[in-house]
Amino acid sequence: MMRAVELAANGPAWGPNPRVGCVIVGADGAVLGEGWHRGAGTPHAEPAALTDARERGNDVAGATAYVTLEPCSHTGRTGPCTEALAAARIGAVRYAVADPNPQAAGGGEVLRARGIDAAHAPLDAAAALNRRWLGAVERGRPWVIAKWAQTLDGRTAAADGTSFWVTGEEARAHAHGVRAEVDAILVGTGTVLTDDPSLSARPPHVEDPHQPLRAVMGLRDTFGAKVWRDEDAIAVRSHDPRDALAALAAREVRTVVVEGGGTITSAFLRAGLVDEVHAYIAPAILGSGTNAVGDLGIATMSGALRGRDVTATALGVDTLVTAFFQRGPQ
Ligand SMILES: NC(=O)c1ccc[n+]([C@@H]2O[C@H](COP(=O)([O-])OP(=O)(O)OC[C@H]3O[C@@H](n4cnc5c(N)ncnc54)[C@H](OP(=O)(O)O)[C@@H]3O)[C@@H](O)[C@H]2O)c1
C-alpha cells in the first residue's frame, strides 16, 4: 500500500479528483501492474494498473489490488472501477481510505457483492496525501487556505498601502509553488485595486505550471486590472465568503488560497471557513500599517483560534508557519 501511495503522489494535487495509486500483486507477492490517476478525464488508478499488467503480459486473475482510495462504483468521466476490477477477475481488493464522495462511495460493498474479498485497510499516509480533497468533499465546499506575508509585528502592508515586498525571494517562490498546486486564488477588490497582482503561478524550475482560476471578491468594479487579462478569472460580487465558495465550487474548485487582504481573510476566519493557514513571516517591523487579520470578535485568550499539525520552514531570512484549523461554525 505504501508503494500505491508513492504512485498516487505522481498525480496532480490540483483538479477535481483525488490523487490515487494502485498496485496489483500476485499470490507469490510479485507486482503484476501499477498505475495512478493523472487527473480528471484520464483513467482512474485501477484501470491504469490493469492496463499496465496487460502490457507486461501478466494475468491478474485471483490477484490482490492495493488501492489508496475505495474503488468507485459510478460512471463519471470514466466507467466504474469496480466493474473493471471484477471483469479482470481480481481476487481481493484492499483500499486505504473509504470514499467520502456520496456519488462514488460504496465501491467496497459492490465488490463484496460480486464475490471479491474487498476490505478497508486504513493507512494514514494515504489520507494525508488527499487531506485537502477529503476535507473539501466532507465539508461540501472548497478547502480554504488563508495565506499572507507579514512582518514580525503582524503587518501585511505599510501605512501607505505598499506591500512589495514583505518577504524575500525564497518565500515568494515558495508561495508561487503553492499556487501551482491549488485550483483557485481568491483576493478582495481592495488588493486588486491597491496591488494590481496578476495572481499567476510562477514557481522556479517549473516549465509550464498549472495556472489556478483567479477570483476577486467585492462590489467594486476592478475590470482593467491585470487579473482580467486572462479569461480564467471570475468576479464574486458579494461580501459573503459562502457566496465565494459556492461560485468556486460551481467551477469544480476543491482547494482555494485566499491571498488577502486582511478584510476578506478576516471574513473567512469569522465565518469559520479557514481550514489551513500559511503565514510567511519576515524579520521586519513596521509599527503601523495593515494587519494580517482584523477583529474576529475574540476578546479573551481562551477564545483564540489554535492551529494544529504546525510546521515552521525557514525560507531564506523568512519563516513559513503552516497550521490546520478545526472546522468552525459553518
Ligand atoms: N502581505 C500580504 O500578504 C498581502 C496580501 C494581500 C493584500 N495585502 C495588502 O492589503 C491591503 C488591502 O487590504 P484590504 O483589506 O483592503 O483588501 P481586500 O481584503 O483584498 O479587499 C477588501 C475589499 O473587498 C470587499 N469585500 C469583500 N468581502 C468583504 C467583506 N466580507 N467585508 C468587507 N469588505 C469585503 C470590499 O470592497 P467593495 O467595496 O469592492 O465590496 C473591501 O473594501 C493592500 O495594501 C495590499 O497591499 C497584503
Side-chain angles (χ1 to χ4, degrees):
M1 192 64 91
M2 279 309 295
R3 173 67 185 149
V5 173
E6 263 176 42
L7 292 168
N10 290 325
W14 49 274
N17 290 353
R19 292 188 279 181
V20 187
C22 176
V23 180
I24 301 173
V25 180
D28 59 355
V31 171
L32 304 178
E34 296 185 329
W36 70 91
H37 180 50
R38 290 172 160 78
T42 70
H44 287 187
E46 302 89 323
L50 290 170
T51 301
D52 181 47
R54 203 175 314 117
E55 286 172 0
R56 294 194 208 182
N58 291 329
D59 180 6
V60 299
T64 300
Y66 291 89
V67 200
T68 56
L69 183 72
E70 184 176 2
C72 74
S73 60
H74 80 310
T75 302
R77 290 181 174 98
T78 58
C81 292
T82 47
E83 286 311 307
L85 292 166
R89 296 190 295 125
I90 287 285
V93 175
R94 296 290 176 266
Y95 51 92
V97 176
D99 196 329
N101 180 356
Q103 280 180 325
E109 201 49 56
V110 170
L111 289 168
R112 285 187 285 278
R114 299 285 296 256
I116 295 170
D117 167 21
H120 184 198
L123 183 67
D124 287 347
L129 188 69
N130 285 314
R131 187 167 185 167
R132 292 171 185 160
W133 183 87
L134 289 165
V137 174
E138 281 162 9
R139 290 153 171 71
R141 60 160 176 81
W143 176 271
V144 177
I145 302 171
K147 172 253 160 177
W148 62 79
Q150 67 165 68
T151 60
L152 277 183
D153 55 334
R155 312 288 180 176
T156 52
D160 66 356
T162 51
S163 63
F164 301 151
W165 295 105
V166 177
T167 49
E169 222 163 89
E170 286 181 45
R172 300 204 306 275
H174 186 279
H176 278 273
V178 174
R179 283 179 175 180
E181 288 183 358
V182 300
D183 302 310
I185 305 174
L186 176 70
V187 294
T189 51
T191 295
V192 172
L193 294 170
T194 315
D195 296 348
D196 196 13
S198 53
L199 300 181
S200 55
R202 299 182 300 277
H205 319 305
V206 182
E207 281 280 303
D208 186 16
H210 148 77
Q211 294 299 329
L213 172 69
R214 283 85 57 80
V216 180
M217 179 176 167
L219 307 179
R220 278 170 292 172
D221 199 347
T222 59
F223 294 119
K226 278 187 201 144
V227 67
W228 302 110
R229 280 186 198 164
D230 189 300
E231 277 179 21
D232 220 5
I234 58 170
V236 181
R237 294 193 179 276
S238 167
H239 283 182
D240 187 340
R242 288 170 199 80
D243 290 340
L245 294 183
L248 293 169
R251 294 285 303 260
E252 291 197 304
V253 167
R254 299 279 191 240
T255 305
V256 56
V257 185
V258 174
E259 293 210 4
T263 305
I264 72 159
T265 300
S266 306
F268 273 81
L269 283 165
R270 263 196 308 276
L273 291 170
V274 173
D275 304 299
E276 190 177 335
V277 166
H278 291 188
Y280 294 87
I281 303 169
I285 295 172
L286 276 166
S288 65
T290 310
N291 289 328
V293 177
D295 185 12
L296 300 178
I298 300 169
T300 186
M301 207 58 203
S302 60
L305 305 176
R306 301 254 175 209
R308 57 204 161 90
D309 299 346
V310 177
T311 69
T313 309
L315 295 167
V317 296
D318 306 313
T319 305
L320 166 63
V321 175
T322 70
F324 291 87
F325 285 78
Q326 294 281 8
R327 184 163 23 160
Q330 301 296 296

